[in-house]
Amino acid sequence: MHFQIGAHPAFFYPKFDASTNERGFFKLGGKQQMEYILIGEKGCAVPKTRYPLYLTEGLLPITTETFNRDALILENAQVNEVTLLSPLQEPILKMTFDAPVVGLWSPPSKNAPFVCIEPWYGRCDRVGFTGEFKDRDWMQHLSPSEIFHGGYVIEILD
């Protein structure tokens, strides 16, 4: 069986202030140097174009512009833990997971009061993909009687 599965949990900023640009921070438990890809035409990923993920003192600032180009997609199990921090760097929640891909997202060009941390065992097609379903990037495969194990844990810290 060929399949992909992911989650789309969204988290409200506890001290949301629509009048400011700053939303908080992500603390990413992973490699020191990370990279991300973006969504391109027709909702398809562009994995051949990778962007460095710039952290400030180990943190990714979240502002109203962070997701203007859509989701930040981190592949290759670069991170297995994401902590959401307030604008004052107070921990709000921590998500741990074993998924090979994670999407960080909030509606582009909106002043949304939430952010999503999305562990994925799969990903949308890449731009120009014309192959078979079983050959999609990050496809999961199970043989008869085989069992898939995956998941995530959300720990509320505030």
Side-chain angles (χ1 to χ4, degrees):
M1 173 194 262
H2 312 291
F3 69 98
Q4 296 184 334
I5 189 169
H8 185 63
F11 304 100
F12 181 76
Y13 296 114
K15 298 174 184 170
F16 178 71
D17 181 355
S19 68
T20 69
N21 186 41
E22 292 78 28
R23 294 291 169 259
F25 299 87
F26 284 129
K27 180 179 179 184
L28 303 172
K31 300 174 185 174
Q32 292 299 320
Q33 295 182 330
M34 290 183 261
E35 60 186 15
Y36 65 94
I37 64 171
L38 294 170
I39 301 293
E41 63 184 76
K42 298 182 182 177
C44 294
V46 187
K48 63 182 175 180
T49 304
R50 300 187 176 275
Y51 302 90
L53 188 64
Y54 295 109
L55 304 178
T56 303
E57 297 178 15
L59 303 176
L60 175 63
I62 308 168
T63 69
T64 54
E65 288 99 32
T66 301
F67 305 104
N68 280 356
R69 294 173 61 195
D70 215 322
L72 307 180
I73 302 171
L74 288 79
E75 298 181 310
N76 300 310
Q78 294 180 82
V79 62
N80 63 3
E81 179 180 294
V82 177
T83 303
L84 178 62
L85 306 172
S86 74
L88 299 175
Q89 298 185 17
E90 302 158 325
I92 297 169
L93 64 90
K94 177 170 63 174
M95 179 184 277
T96 55
F97 46 86
D98 63 358
V101 181
V102 64
L104 304 174
W105 180 83
S106 193
S109 304
K110 306 261 192 235
N111 198 4
F114 66 89
V115 67
C116 298
I117 304 170
E118 306 177 4
W120 298 334
Y121 300 88
R123 194 204 63 223
C124 56
D125 279 337
R126 65 183 176 270
V127 171
F129 179 75
T130 59
E132 292 186 40
F133 180 74
K134 69 179 181 61
D135 297 324
R136 289 176 64 175
D137 296 342
W138 300 105
M139 183 60 64
Q140 303 297 309
H141 309 278
L142 285 178
S143 298
S145 301
E146 204 174 8
I147 298 172
F148 171 79
H149 293 279
Y152 60 91
V153 174
I154 300 169
E155 182 181 354
I156 305 301
L157 305 172
D158 185 10

